[in-house]
Amino acid sequence: MKTPDACASLADIRLGIDTLDAEIVALLGRRLDYVLAAARFKTDEASIPAPERVAAMMPDRRRWAEQAGLDPDFVAGLFDILIPWFIQRQIIHWRQQYGQPQPTDGGAA
């Protein structure tokens, strides 16, 4: 992949963007692996959301955004979308591994 300044065409630019987007998706998958592994250390389902952890991690994400030349509010907004989704995946995983399995028929019993 060429650097942005070395790109000689729109096709080069699009290839770079597509390559980076694939890396972002792969990194989200790796993050999910860690989130699911964390379930091993949760004593019960109620301990999964950990709002104190979420609050503690946001200043770092904002700082990292600034260091990368990004708008910290934009990055915080992304994490405001990502974090609840990852928490829900961990809850589902925890229930399957350690609690009650989730119904597969939409919840009807």
Side-chain angles (χ1 to χ4, degrees):
M1 179 173 69
K2 297 177 181 179
T3 65
D5 289 339
C7 290
S9 68
L10 190 54
D12 287 346
I13 295 288
R14 289 178 176 161
L15 176 61
I17 289 171
D18 290 348
T19 300
L20 290 171
D21 286 352
E23 290 177 21
I24 290 167
V25 171
L27 288 171
L28 289 170
R30 287 182 54 201
R31 188 183 198 282
L32 179 60
D33 292 341
Y34 282 97
V35 168
L36 298 181
R40 294 189 319 242
F41 304 100
K42 304 294 176 110
T43 56
D44 56 29
E45 185 178 325
S47 66
I48 292 173
E52 69 287 348
R53 163 66 177 149
V54 173
M57 63 189 258
M58 290 310 290
D60 285 334
R61 276 75 185 156
R62 288 179 159 281
R63 182 174 43 79
W64 298 336
E66 287 178 1
Q67 290 169 347
L70 297 170
D71 179 350
D73 291 335
F74 169 73
V75 171
L78 288 175
F79 278 94
D80 286 343
I81 294 167
L82 292 171
I83 291 169
W85 186 87
F86 281 107
I87 289 170
Q88 189 58 39
R89 300 292 78 72
Q90 190 179 92
I91 288 170
I92 291 167
H93 178 75
W94 191 92
R95 287 176 181 167
Q96 291 171 342
Q97 297 297 311
Y98 311 107
Q100 294 294 318
Q102 291 294 293
T104 57
D105 62 359

